[in-house]
Amino acid sequence: VLAGDFNLTPWSIYFKEFLKKTELIDFRKGNGIKPTWPTHSPPMLIPVDQFLMSPGIVVHSSVTGEDIGSDHYPLIIDFLIST
């Protein structure tokens, strides 16, 4: 699992190239966009916080959390590592 603020959207050519090179999977595939930034301007929200995983990890649920005082909304991911 690799998670954090990448300052890139899933539509960025750099993000797509990173996924291709690392063979990691974007959790958003099949789970919606889940925009996280900026909290001060909800109509302009974009997904710059990422949760990437290797094959064998299954996301059970994913939600964008409540405002916690940051300029980013948190991502809350419930996942299982299968063997």
Side-chain angles (χ1 to χ4, degrees), residues 36-40 66-74:
T36 56
W37 179 86
T39 57
H40 65 275
E66 301 279 330
D67 186 348
I68 58 171
S70 172
D71 61 334
H72 295 249
Y73 289 106

Side-chain angles (χ1 to χ4, degrees), residues 2 6 8 12 23 33 36 39 48-49 54 59 63 75 81:
L2 178 61
F6 283 36
L8 293 171
S12 163
E23 299 182 4
I33 295 175
T36 56
T39 57
V48 296
D49 297 288
S54 58
V59 172
V63 296
L75 283 174
I81 301 173

Side-chain angles (χ1 to χ4, degrees), residues 2-75:
L2 178 61
D5 177 4
F6 283 36
N7 284 329
L8 293 171
T9 68
W11 309 289
S12 163
I13 190 165
Y14 302 109
F15 184 77
K16 290 177 184 180
E17 187 64 26
F18 180 77
L19 291 180
K20 186 177 178 181
K21 286 183 178 182
T22 62
E23 299 182 4
L24 292 171
I25 301 164
D26 183 358
F27 88 100
R28 288 183 174 90
K29 188 173 184 174
N31 291 304
I33 295 175
K34 308 284 192 270
T36 56
W37 179 86
T39 57
H40 65 275
S41 185
M44 303 299 287
L45 283 170
I46 57 174
V48 296
D49 297 288
Q50 311 301 338
F51 181 89
L52 308 177
M53 56 198 179
S54 58
I57 295 177
V58 178
V59 172
H60 285 280
S61 67
S62 60
V63 296
T64 303
E66 301 279 330
D67 186 348
I68 58 171
S70 172
D71 61 334
H72 295 249
Y73 289 106
L75 283 174

